[in-house]
Amino acid sequence: MTEADRTADAAVDQALIERWRGGDERAATAIVERHAPALARFALSLGVRDDVNEVVQDTFVRAFGALDTFRADSALRTWLFTIERRLVLDRRRAARRQPELVEVMPEDAATGFHALDALEADETAAQVRDAMARLSPMQRDVFTLRVQEGRAYKDIAEILGTTEGAARVHYHNALRAVKEWLHD
Amino acid sequence: MTECTNFDVQDLLPEYVAELLSARERVEVELHLSACAACRTDVDVLMAVQRARPVVAEPDVAAIVASLPAPPRATPESRPAHDARPFRVITGDLAAPSMRTTAPRRRTVSASGQRSWFSGGGMRAAAALTLLALGGLSVAIARDGQRAITEGDAQGVAVLSDAPMVLAEAPMPYASDDDLIVPVVSLAPAVLPVQELPDYTDEELALLLDQLDAWDGAPSVDVIDPTPPLSNDSILQEGS
């Protein structure tokens, strides 16, 4: 995304937020429509399988409950990704504390997101996913945000709570690893 | 295979694969790729990763919106999320020349023959003063390089820096009341502290206006020409 695209995108988001703050609930619909698909993809890349819809919804609930704290110097999508990642980590921690209550059967994991994943049968895509699954969590998150979501290193650093330099290193290490595994 | 040492181009490869580069950047990358086998391999891998991006179902927007808290200033008159009236987001790139008017600047002259502060030029001058105030006391230098800066100069400028900047919804012939038009930044003329403006001569004001015109990021009160609006679909393509 070019800098001009980013600026225009941020201006639209900011105007929608102001509309919502002013009482126009339709602005919320526009914001959700703009960002929900990307949040669903990011949830999948974070390893969420059986409740992507719920994670996306909870992300928006948290975000709209804290919109007053949103700073316009950060892209709205970057901020939403940050919230979603924290939410997923919180849910994982909570699930670890109550392991006896969670018994996920393979068939339970079949969701609309899986059903529509037409690339599952694609051999190359499957190889890519296998390769990405072997990356460290940080490498995978950086690589996904950089390549599949087109985020800049600055945004990635903010979302993952790291530095731009570290994100850059993780990206290059991930690319080298995926390249080697694909060519094995 | 020889490792590539062009880190600038390597940084652009993900955006190149996602077709998000400007034309100039794309040409730069393609020129490099024609001579760099290592980067061509990287592009192949990145394309495979891009194609493996998960395909997700359309989110249940209505369910998500229904779970959200009410807007802080929601009133009985506020339009609900399920309002059936259209809600189009019309974007305009202020940097694009096609979106800027080429009409000559209007100069409003009052009955007494003096230029009105509410004319386009007056508002630009106020914007210039505000800008210069934020940058320090250089306004005084712009006015008169020979004269020392006085406390009065600084106070006069400081008052102007309070002039509010607002998002304005400019009248557009193709837009309805339900359209959201962004981003157009202008000054709010009704609340300008006119009586606090320093007494500039026409020559000084013309100098300020010329400086403002030369400043690329100047707030604009120009009317946007009636270029057909972008639809929500085109805006949402990026997110799909």
Side-chain angles (χ1 to χ4, degrees):
Chain A
M1 185 181 291
T2 64
E3 194 56 40
D5 291 335
R6 287 184 211 281
T7 304
D9 224 33
V12 171
D13 282 333
Q14 193 58 40
L16 288 170
I17 290 169
E18 291 305 323
R19 279 263 168 155
W20 183 79
R21 283 174 176 155
D24 191 341
E25 293 183 40
R26 296 173 310 157
T29 303
I31 290 172
V32 171
E33 284 176 344
R34 283 167 63 79
H35 299 290
L39 286 173
R41 284 195 301 271
F42 189 49
L44 280 172
S45 76
L46 290 172
V48 177
R49 288 291 175 267
D50 53 345
D51 46 9
V52 172
N53 266 325
E54 194 179 314
V55 167
V56 172
Q57 179 170 316
D58 288 353
T59 301
F60 278 114
V61 170
R62 275 197 190 185
F64 275 83
L67 260 186
D68 285 343
T69 67
F70 172 65
R71 295 170 302 147
D73 56 350
S74 164
L76 179 61
R77 185 168 294 180
T78 299
W79 190 60
L80 291 171
F81 279 164
T82 307
I83 292 172
E84 184 173 52
R85 182 170 176 271
R86 284 191 199 133
L87 185 69
V88 170
L89 294 176
D90 288 349
R91 289 163 71 100
R92 279 198 193 129
R93 274 193 285 270
R96 275 201 294 269
R97 282 197 295 270
Q98 297 177 309
E100 69 280 5
L101 298 178
V102 181
E103 187 180 356
V104 180
M105 303 301 287
E107 59 270 24
D108 294 333
T111 67
F113 293 99
H114 280 87
L116 285 182
D117 192 349
L119 292 170
E120 198 65 51
D122 183 310
E123 191 178 343
T124 306
Q127 286 174 344
V128 168
R129 288 183 191 171
D130 285 347
M132 290 179 69
R134 293 160 73 174
L135 298 172
S136 73
M138 183 60 95
Q139 284 177 344
R140 187 167 52 248
D141 290 348
V142 169
F143 202 55
T144 300
L145 288 167
R146 184 83 185 107
V147 182
Q148 295 186 334
E149 296 300 331
R151 308 312 298 182
Y153 286 117
K154 176 176 174 289
D155 293 344
I156 294 171
E158 188 176 334
I159 294 165
L160 302 180
T162 184
T163 63
E164 284 186 54
R168 201 178 291 268
V169 169
H170 284 305
Y171 165 80
H172 285 288
N173 288 341
L175 175 58
R176 189 185 308 120
V178 168
K179 201 161 46 177
E180 285 174 5
W181 289 325
L182 285 180
H183 293 159
D184 268 353
Chain B
M1 191 184 305
T2 309
E3 286 282 317
C4 176
T5 56
N6 189 334
F7 301 111
D8 289 341
V9 169
Q10 284 183 38
D11 264 357
L12 294 175
L13 294 183
E15 278 88 359
Y16 172 74
V17 167
E19 299 180 352
L20 295 173
L21 292 181
S22 66
R24 185 187 58 78
E25 290 171 324
R26 192 173 62 249
V27 169
E28 182 188 346
V29 169
E30 286 175 349
L31 275 173
H32 175 79
L33 289 176
S34 66
C36 180
C39 282
R40 284 199 299 273
T41 304
D42 285 358
V43 165
D44 288 343
V45 172
L46 292 173
M47 281 181 168
V49 173
Q50 173 76 9
R51 281 195 295 268
R53 186 166 99 153
V55 178
V56 296
E58 278 295 311
D60 188 346
V61 174
I64 294 171
V65 172
S67 69
L68 299 179
R73 272 185 273 162
T75 64
E77 293 79 30
S78 297
R79 291 171 176 170
H82 52 76
D83 191 330
R85 279 178 291 181
F87 189 98
R88 294 187 300 157
V89 178
I90 300 174
T91 59
D93 180 1
L94 290 178
S98 63
M99 296 297 289
R100 303 295 297 268
T101 179
T102 55
R105 187 167 62 215
R106 286 177 299 167
R107 296 278 174 97
T108 307
V109 179
S110 68
S112 64
Q114 292 203 328
R115 193 181 302 147
S116 166
W117 280 106
F118 291 111
S119 67
M123 291 170 61
R124 281 165 179 259
L129 293 172
T130 303
L131 173 71
L132 292 168
L134 293 174
L137 297 175
S138 55
V139 64
I141 297 168
R143 287 185 57 197
D144 186 353
Q146 304 299 315
R147 192 164 60 81
I149 300 166
T150 67
E151 190 178 352
D153 292 331
Q155 285 174 346
V157 172
V159 170
L160 285 172
S161 69
D162 291 336
M165 303 293 289
V166 297
L167 267 176
E169 294 181 7
M172 300 173 82
Y174 51 78
S176 73
D177 290 342
D178 290 320
D179 290 333
L180 175 64
I181 302 162
V182 289
V184 180
V185 179
S186 92
L187 292 170
V191 290
L192 278 177
V194 177
Q195 69 280 8
E196 298 291 342
L197 287 170
D199 186 20
Y200 286 99
T201 65
D202 282 350
E203 288 75 20
E204 289 170 332
L205 186 56
L207 175 62
L208 285 171
L209 289 171
D210 290 338
Q211 287 176 338
L212 186 60
D213 281 345
W215 180 52
D216 200 29
S220 172
V221 292
D222 293 338
V223 177
I224 295 174
D225 67 5
T227 305
L230 297 175
S231 69
N232 255 357
D233 290 341
S234 63
I235 294 168
L236 291 172
Q237 275 180 357
E238 190 273 332
S240 63

